[in-house]
Amino acid sequence: MKCRHCGSTHMVPFLDLGTAPPSNSYVTADERHLPELWYPLVIHCCRECRLVQTEDFADRETFFSSSYAYFSSFSTSWLDHAERYVADMQARFGLTEASHIVEVAANDGYLLQYAKARGIGCLGIEPTASTAKAARAKGIEIVEEFFGAELGEKLAAEGRSADLTAANNVLAHVPDINDFVAGFARLLKANGVATFEFPHLLNMVREAQFDTAYHEHYSYLSLTSVARVFAANGLSVFDVETTPWHGGSLRVFAQRSDTGRHPVASTVAAMLAEEHAAGMLGDTFYTDFQEAAQTVRDGFMEFLIESRRQGLKVAAYGAAAKGNTLINFSGVKPDLLSFVVDKNPAKQGLLLPGSRIPIVTEEFLKAEKPERVVILPWNLQAEIRQQLSYISDWGGKFVTAVPALTVHP
Ligand SMILES: [Zn+2]
């Protein structure tokens, strides 16, 4: 295979999860008798540019599903994060009513609503119809397209260049990362700022977060690789911060390489040094990850089998990509994990792809009273443990599988 950034064919293995169905391909009652398509889920690291990336076996349409779209506004803590972001950026870069913010992957307007409230001009780019509609209902203008060089150039030509662009949790999800990044270089004003937030590969490896791998998650990013992709596409990094999201994320600040004048902060060299010290320029940092993933899987399987021997009923919470990756890599079926609770009504009554574990309501959980509840989205465990704290009434305990199997007291 060829690196999707630099074209090199020198790859080292990072993670091979065998085959898996697309993580959003929930099975309906009518589809129970039909087969499912499983695609290889294999991830490599490019030896030239260190971009960690999935090997492609199907096109984007196979994996892009708008049927079960995630609405960012469902999470109050993420809304707080968005509100703080807008306030911080306004203070730092002196944004006024004459300024223009463009958010790529604007979702349901969870972030731009705060720009609008401050009177700052804004525009959202969002290809998913259901979330775009929700953003428009908040009075936010949305362009319903995929972003890239062509759209960035078109908007700039229409006089809609940006003082600030935001791109949260989207950089890792674009198949053509060069074209996507080039779009920002074309959209920014001469001294404009582009920010990007994405899960940090350093934490993924340190915390054995192999379940963040799925087909639509095309790239697994470090500052080392991102700085290189940016430089090749007209952007340069001038600051970086860490955030706790998704098990540890980076927020990278970039500017146009040709006209940007923001001074480069010492944080950039410090983060690059931290990544290099962790071994991210060598091979073993990447090649050792397979073993770490298998160790997590083994712990999860031992827990499930031992629970069944003891006659304990085990259920799970959170029907999303992370859970599907863990469950399908482990080969778990409903005999070991009887059901998964999810609060999204669109998913209730369906089956998880591959494992065909039923997705149920919280009322079902209260009626069944399982002794163990595995929290699949471990990044939201504080919120979920609070929400389901009543399971202790029947002696229930919470369990997380990543980075190591833990039964919480
Ligand atoms: Zn490469």
Side-chain angles (χ1 to χ4, degrees), residues 3-8 11 46-51 53:
C3 171
R4 62 167 56 100
H5 166 58
C6 75
S8 167
M11 296 284 165
C46 172
R47 285 194 87 170
E48 301 302 322
C49 71
R50 294 298 173 192
L51 182 67
Q53 53 200 286

Side-chain angles (χ1 to χ4, degrees), residues 313-373:
K313 184 183 278 187
V314 183
Y317 188 92
K322 278 190 193 70
N324 286 328
T325 297
L326 173 68
I327 287 168
N328 285 325
F329 180 51
S330 306
V332 170
K333 299 286 186 289
D335 57 329
L336 288 174
L337 191 60
S338 41
F339 59 87
V340 55
V341 180
D342 199 281
K343 68 177 170 188
N344 184 349
K347 291 180 184 172
Q348 292 162 358
L350 305 178
L351 304 174
L352 292 186
S355 66
R356 301 204 165 191
I357 294 170
I359 304 169
V360 301
T361 63
E362 213 175 311
E363 299 313 311
F364 189 87
L365 173 80
K366 288 174 185 168
E368 289 290 312
K369 299 183 172 51
E371 284 92 355
R372 299 288 181 264
V373 176

